[in-house]
Amino acid sequence: MIERDAVPCGPFQTEPFDLGRVLSVGSSGDEVVRRSERWLVGVLDDADVELGAADREIAALLAADGWSVAQVVGGWVRRAGREPAPVARELVAPGVTRVG
């Protein structure tokens, strides 16, 4: 099983290759595509996304399109599941709060 947290989840400014490097160790070709599919489905499972047969088929199509596609989509799911960052509030005067 590939440790999903070992693969960055973005946001991405350029095409990511991290997942491809992890998946390629000791494999190539169709096995890398199968690993990419399992990784993406695992990210969805971790996020408690209920998957039907068609969902799994689409995940397989995304994975077959390239590991960077799977990594970006998986990154969206992982980032969407995060707790929002706390908003810093500063009392600058009575009744006046600065947010930032």
Side-chain angles (χ1 to χ4, degrees):
M1 173 74 86
I2 298 161
E3 178 61 41
R4 280 176 277 288
D5 291 335
V7 178
C9 66
F12 303 105
Q13 303 305 322
T14 59
E15 182 178 3
F17 294 101
D18 312 281
L19 181 60
R21 288 184 191 108
V22 170
L23 297 175
S24 299
V25 174
S27 293
S28 63
D30 290 341
E31 180 57 27
V32 173
V33 172
R34 283 189 291 277
R35 287 180 177 189
S36 183
E37 177 186 352
R38 286 192 303 266
W39 183 86
L40 182 55
V41 168
V43 168
L44 294 165
D45 285 343
D46 288 350
D48 294 325
V49 175
E50 184 178 350
L51 299 175
D55 298 309
R56 290 180 185 279
E57 187 174 321
I58 296 300
L61 290 172
L62 287 170
D65 200 32
W67 58 69
S68 61
V69 173
Q71 184 175 349
V72 169
V73 173
W76 293 341
V77 172
R78 288 171 58 198
R79 291 194 313 266
R82 287 185 184 163
E83 290 292 321
V87 176
R89 299 177 186 275
E90 176 186 5
L91 183 63
V92 293
V96 179
T97 303
R98 180 182 304 145
V99 179

